[in-house]
Amino acid sequence: MVTMTSAPFEYQKPDSVAEASRLLSKYGGNGKLLAGGHSLVPLMKLRLASPDALIDLSGIEELKGIKSSASGLSIGSMTTYHELESSSDVQSNAPLMADAASQVADAQVRNSGTIGGAVSHSDPAADLPPVVLALDAVMVTASQRSGREIPVERFFKDFLTTALRPNEVLTRIEIPKLPANTGTAYVKMANKASHYALVGVAAVITLGAGGVCERARVALTGAGPYAMRAKRAERMLVGKQLAPNVIRNAAKRAGAELDGMFNEDVHASADYREAMTKVFAERAIAAAVANAG
Ligand SMILES: Cc1cc2nc3c(=O)[nH]c(=O)nc-3n(C[C@H](O)[C@H](O)[C@H](O)COP(=O)(O)OP(=O)(O)OC[C@H]3O[C@@H](n4cnc5c(N)ncnc54)[C@H](O)[C@@H]3O)c2cc1C
């Protein structure tokens, strides 16, 4: 029988990152940070997670808000999807993120779910992990003793696993300003019920003189155990005029890093995800190129 109530737990509501970090250390790996609760609470109800304590981040003002500067955006980890999709700073400086956030689930989830919870949880089908990868983000953390700045390239490690240590709070996500003549796009094949990505692709393309591709970042979600860059596809774009056949050939390599690792579940077979990765990579790259123009 599946139980739908969580095991008992203590509840803490710190009002500073320092206090949250102290509590994480106090519970020694048995305390869990609570952000929007839309991934953690279902896991607790299914008893797949039974922390001794929940440390609720909702009272910590320093984790909220979006700051814009000449170097880019600094986004507090407790910023919700709704705030991302409706922020004029995000819409103008990182439209990829605003667009992807607007495609998450439904209004209820977008009003509670946070960027910090989404990337820390690293669900293999989540929408924001490929977006922060494609945008070359830096993940800023705090712990009782110190803090770290983790390049996003080293952040997503495995299924539901990131580089965060059990005693670390993800505080901010820094998004560098996009170069001129850069176009972005996020497209996904959504699960009809939950809207999680069966396959999702984020593309960031910068064009140089004569329309030659100077820089390409393509990142995948839904396809494999965690979000990752499609580096072989990227290499097939850089230095070239991005005619449709060049984009198609690059997109065919989009799943190359996932050889033998495509997800297979009740929603889609591994073969189907592999085929759809190519289709959606082509669409995302083509849309990003059109936006760059
Ligand atoms: C019905 C439904 C549909 C959904 N559909 C989608 C969808 O289409 N696309 C999509 O991407 N997602 C979807 N989700 C997931 C949703 O986006 C979650 O909100 C998100 O994955 C987790 O964010 P959260 O703020 O709720 O985090 P929580 O559930 O509160 O936390 C998740 C994990 O991250 C840790 N954590 C949270 N904040 C921090 C922090 N600052 N530092 C360190 N660790 C932290 C927690 O300890 C926990 O382990 C759906 C969820 C539901 C319930």
Side-chain angles (χ1 to χ4, degrees):
M1 193 178 78
V2 177
T3 175
M4 288 303 286
T5 54
S6 71
F9 56 88
E10 288 178 35
Y11 175 79
Q12 302 278 0
K13 192 171 181 188
D15 59 11
S16 69
V17 171
E19 178 63 1
S21 307
R22 191 191 67 75
L23 287 165
L24 274 181
S25 293
K26 174 184 159 185
Y27 289 102
N30 295 316
K32 281 296 248 179
L33 298 174
L34 177 69
H38 272 56
S39 292
L40 180 56
V41 172
L43 287 178
M44 290 173 63
K45 286 186 168 181
L46 291 166
R47 305 240 176 163
L48 294 171
S50 301
D52 291 346
L54 283 189
I55 302 163
D56 184 351
L57 300 177
S58 65
I60 305 180
E61 286 306 314
E62 61 197 289
L63 294 179
K64 297 177 185 169
I66 300 162
K67 293 179 196 147
S68 176
S69 71
S71 57
L73 294 173
S74 178
I75 302 174
S77 61
M78 285 297 283
T79 304
T80 63
Y81 295 115
H82 175 67
E83 288 162 340
L84 293 174
E85 66 177 314
S86 54
S87 155
S88 55
D89 282 331
V90 180
Q91 286 166 2
S92 53
N93 293 302
L96 175 65
M97 183 173 280
D99 184 27
S102 76
Q103 296 184 47
V104 171
D106 51 38
Q108 272 183 315
V109 175
R110 292 198 298 275
N111 278 327
S112 301
T114 65
I115 184 169
V119 297
S120 303
H121 190 56
S122 184
D123 189 294
D127 293 300
L128 287 192
V131 168
V132 290
L133 271 171
L135 290 174
D136 207 10
V138 175
M139 322 302 257
V140 184
T141 76
S143 66
Q144 202 175 14
R145 292 198 173 161
S146 63
R148 292 194 293 161
E149 292 192 353
I150 309 171
V152 71
E153 206 59 41
R154 300 210 302 266
F155 190 76
F156 300 108
K157 293 286 189 193
D158 206 342
F159 178 75
L160 301 182
T161 306
T162 69
L164 285 173
R165 297 175 184 141
N167 64 346
E168 275 183 316
V169 183
L170 178 67
T171 56
R172 305 199 72 78
I173 293 151
E174 311 283 350
I175 308 287
K177 199 171 177 60
L178 290 171
N181 301 321
T182 296
T184 65
Y186 179 68
V187 292
K188 70 170 170 178
M189 173 179 248
N191 176 303
K192 293 282 182 235
S194 67
H195 287 212
Y196 275 113
L198 287 176
V199 167
V201 183
V204 176
I205 304 287
T206 304
L207 299 181
V212 171
C213 177
E214 269 183 0
R215 183 175 173 274
R217 286 180 79 98
V218 180
L220 313 175
T221 190
Y226 57 101
M228 65 177 68
R229 296 242 318 265
K231 292 186 178 174
R232 285 183 230 184
E234 292 172 358
R235 284 199 288 274
M236 290 179 67
L237 297 168
V238 174
K240 301 207 178 94
Q241 299 264 4
L242 298 183
N245 65 318
V246 175
I247 294 173
R248 179 159 302 147
N249 285 336
K252 282 184 187 158
R253 302 294 292 155
E257 285 84 356
L258 280 167
D259 195 23
M261 286 203 301
F262 279 94
N263 291 333
E264 168 122 15
D265 57 26
V266 66
H267 303 298
S269 67
D271 286 348
Y272 187 68
R273 279 195 168 87
E274 184 171 2
M276 288 305 107
T277 298
K278 294 170 186 169
V279 171
F280 281 78
E282 184 176 347
R283 290 182 189 174
I285 297 164
V289 172
N291 291 337

